Amino acid sequence: MNRILFITVFLLSFFRGYAQHIDADSLIDVLKTELKKEGVYDQGRQNRIAVLRDSLLLADSNNFDLLYRLYSGIYDEYSSFKFDSAYVYVKKRIALAEQFHKKDELIASEIQLGYTLYFSGFYKEAFDVIGKMDTLHFSKTQRSDYLTMRARLNQSIADYDNDPFFSKGYYEQSDLDFRSAQVITPFNEFEKKIDMAFLPDSIRPQNLTPDYFFNLIIQQDLSPHRVAMVATRISAAYRGKDRVMFLALAAIGDIRSSTKETLAIFLLAQELYHMNQTNDAYIFMQAAARNANFYGTRNRAVQIESLLPMVAGKVIAAKQHQRDKLLIGFLTFLIVAVVLFFLLFIYRKQLMRIKASEALIKEKNTQLENVNEQLWESSKIKEELIGLFLKTCSSYIETLERMKQSALHSIKLKKYGEVNDLMKGMDVKEEKERLYTMLDTVFLTMFPNFITSFNGLLKPEDQIWPRSGETLNATLRIFALMRLGIHEHEAIAKILDYSVSTVYTYKTRIKSRALVPANDFEHKIMEIKFINGENG
């Protein structure tokens, strides 16, 4: 079922592969999803092992074929899953083959023992096993399997040593064994196509792209474990994203086949680490470490333990760098916010000062306008009063001149009675009334709304209106003089020929009847508008 699911998923990728480049990142995402389901696949393998072991308990101890088949089945399940159990069952196969004197099964089992020791990193012990084997009577297939196993063992020792001097001999022997095995059992067509991935770029056909080999693998009817093995081999021909693509495909196959003796996910973690994709590298390196510890791959565990701290350190450094960037960003934002707040505070303060200054200037301008208006009004009032004064004086001078001429003429003619009649004919009271009338006329010319505005400050029943033929009466005349700027009671009393107490009584009585507070009444009187006769 797992095999069918695996092939179905990747056949979809195959059909898309001819239309577009296969995305390695998408395979990484699939791999992460499969890692979360690793326990499900492992449980499937455990269930298969349990069925085989139950069958083994019921098997006839004298039935070699049945026992060998069950041991082989259990070994196959454990061979890439758990070293110690695989070792136990391959040893049982060897013992069984020796017991029943089965030469071919014994050779196959000893080769499998060599592989088992090789997988777990027991290179010396693996060499000891193959060194004791008599290869003279091997069949072609057995010799090919033997050479292939020895080639892989030499290559792994060379990789483990990782030294130009000591590794060279192992690599040369490994290459020789691989070539010898290929001579005995030549590659099939699929293996030949896979081998073309390692051709130099100068002679490799242009159509043999990574996508081509990826789709070639998917097209084959391969088990997930076989897909993983082929994809891991092809990955060695590439670097960067293309290598990641094949290693991710291999790692997915390993997980779905519940393979713990796996190199793919470790190599994938290494490649991602070199590409600075440290977060993914750390995830897969941890998975590789779990696999190595579970299976018991000692050499792989040592490699991972040496590299994992470096990957973890880089991850921590990257996270710390990210936190530092966030902290710097936050501090920068905070500083900018504080500066902006400070600038806003200063701006608001300056704006308030400007508004206060504007309000003060506006107030001063209003006051200045009022003062100018008052000065202009005062100037006009003075002009009118001076004009009235000059006119009145001129009239009285003319009158005195006429009286003087008449008196001198009568005295000269010794008509003293006419002089006496002339003096008696002068009516001072009438002249005062005439003066008041003239003053009232000039005032009402300057303040034509005075009487109406004045009575607007009183209740209807307390309003004071001049009688028919009058311009202003005594009360109105007192407040008219106040509007002209004469506020002293003594001055008003002298002008109107009243006593000071009379003036005070008039003012107090009117204020007490006003619609406005007594203290504001005189201010309201002063607000009665002056009207320039020239502009009116």
Side-chain angles (χ1 to χ4, degrees), residues 61 100 104 119 168 191 211 326 376 474 477 486 513:
S61 60
F100 285 90
D104 290 339
F119 287 150
K168 183 179 179 181
E191 290 173 331
D211 287 354
L326 290 174
W376 175 81
R477 197 169 288 135
I486 304 171
R513 300 174 182 176

Side-chain angles (χ1 to χ4, degrees), residues 420-436:
N420 186 44
D421 293 337
L422 181 62
M423 294 295 110
K424 289 181 180 180
M426 292 182 62
D427 190 348
V428 177
K429 184 177 180 181
E430 184 179 343
E431 292 297 330
K432 283 184 178 181
E433 288 299 326
R434 190 185 308 162
L435 176 63
Y436 293 154

Side-chain angles (χ1 to χ4, degrees), residues 70-113:
L70 290 173
Y71 283 149
S72 297
I74 297 173
Y75 168 78
D76 289 340
E77 291 292 345
Y78 277 128
S79 63
S80 60
F81 186 64
K82 201 165 184 64
F83 162 73
D84 51 2
S85 298
Y87 181 79
V88 169
Y89 281 94
V90 75
K91 291 289 286 184
K92 287 185 177 182
R93 278 177 52 179
I94 292 173
L96 184 67
E98 289 175 342
Q99 179 184 348
F100 285 90
H101 306 287
K102 298 291 185 177
K103 181 181 177 182
D104 290 339
E105 285 79 356
L106 178 61
I107 293 171
S109 298
E110 287 178 340
I111 291 175
Q112 291 297 330
L113 176 60

Side-chain angles (χ1 to χ4, degrees), residues 249-405:
L249 175 63
I252 292 169
D254 283 332
I255 292 172
R256 290 176 174 175
S257 62
S258 189
T259 298
K260 301 302 180 181
E261 193 292 305
T262 170
L263 185 63
I265 200 164
F266 171 66
L267 295 176
L268 175 62
Q270 279 187 315
E271 191 68 22
L272 291 173
Y273 174 74
H274 294 313
M275 293 170 64
N276 289 322
Q277 294 180 232
T278 51
N279 288 331
D280 288 343
Y282 185 63
I283 292 171
F284 299 141
M285 190 65 74
Q286 285 181 311
R290 289 196 301 270
N291 288 342
N293 290 328
F294 184 88
Y295 180 81
T297 313
R298 290 160 177 76
N299 60 326
R300 189 79 39 74
V302 171
Q303 287 179 290
I304 293 171
E305 287 174 3
S306 64
L307 187 58
L308 187 58
M310 296 171 58
V311 178
K314 201 167 183 179
V315 170
I316 294 171
K319 289 183 178 179
Q320 184 61 44
H321 178 66
Q322 188 66 25
R323 283 195 293 267
D324 291 343
K325 285 175 65 178
L326 290 174
L327 180 60
I328 292 171
F330 174 74
L331 291 176
T332 302
F333 171 78
L334 186 61
I335 292 170
V336 171
V338 170
V339 171
L340 287 176
F341 177 79
F342 181 70
L343 292 176
L344 183 63
F345 175 77
I346 294 176
Y347 171 76
R348 179 177 174 81
K349 194 171 182 180
Q350 292 293 336
L351 187 62
M352 291 177 65
R353 287 180 179 176
I354 291 172
K355 287 183 177 180
S357 299
E358 289 178 350
L360 181 61
I361 291 171
K362 187 175 181 180
E363 182 182 355
K364 294 298 181 183
N365 286 336
T366 302
Q367 292 177 357
L368 184 60
E369 289 177 1
N370 293 334
V371 170
N372 288 335
E373 185 178 352
Q374 290 173 4
L375 290 174
W376 175 81
E377 180 182 298
S378 177
S379 175
K380 289 297 182 180
I381 291 173
K382 288 178 180 178
E383 288 179 7
E384 295 291 339
L385 293 179
I386 290 172
L388 174 62
F389 173 74
L390 293 175
K391 184 177 179 181
T392 303
C393 289
S394 176
S395 175
Y396 281 122
I397 289 172
E398 290 178 0
T399 301
L400 289 175
E401 183 64 28
R402 286 196 305 273
M403 290 178 63
K404 176 183 176 183
Q405 293 294 334

Side-chain angles (χ1 to χ4, degrees), residues 440 451 454-455 463-467 470-480 496 498 506:
D440 293 346
I451 297 175
F454 177 83
N455 283 305
Q463 293 179 354
I464 300 172
W465 299 92
R467 292 192 297 272
E470 281 186 337
T471 50
L472 296 175
N473 55 30
T475 303
L476 292 172
R477 197 169 288 135
I478 290 172
F479 287 98
L496 299 180
Y498 294 154
Y506 272 111

Side-chain angles (χ1 to χ4, degrees), residues 107-173:
I107 293 171
S109 298
E110 287 178 340
I111 291 175
Q112 291 297 330
L113 176 60
Y115 270 117
T116 302
L117 294 169
Y118 152 71
F119 287 150
S120 191
F122 291 104
Y123 298 142
K124 178 183 179 303
E125 289 76 4
F127 270 117
D128 290 342
V129 169
I130 64 175
K132 294 176 181 179
M133 297 177 69
D134 184 6
T135 61
L136 293 176
H137 303 291
F138 278 8
S139 66
K140 287 186 177 181
T141 303
Q142 290 171 343
R143 183 163 182 78
S144 177
D145 291 343
Y146 172 84
L147 290 173
T148 301
M149 191 268 290
R150 194 172 69 178
R152 294 179 66 180
L153 184 57
N154 278 290
Q155 185 179 36
S156 295
I157 292 176
D159 291 339
Y160 183 77
D161 287 347
N162 194 24
D163 182 84
F165 179 77
F166 292 105
S167 297
K168 183 179 179 181
Y170 290 111
Y171 280 131
E172 290 175 351
Q173 183 62 48

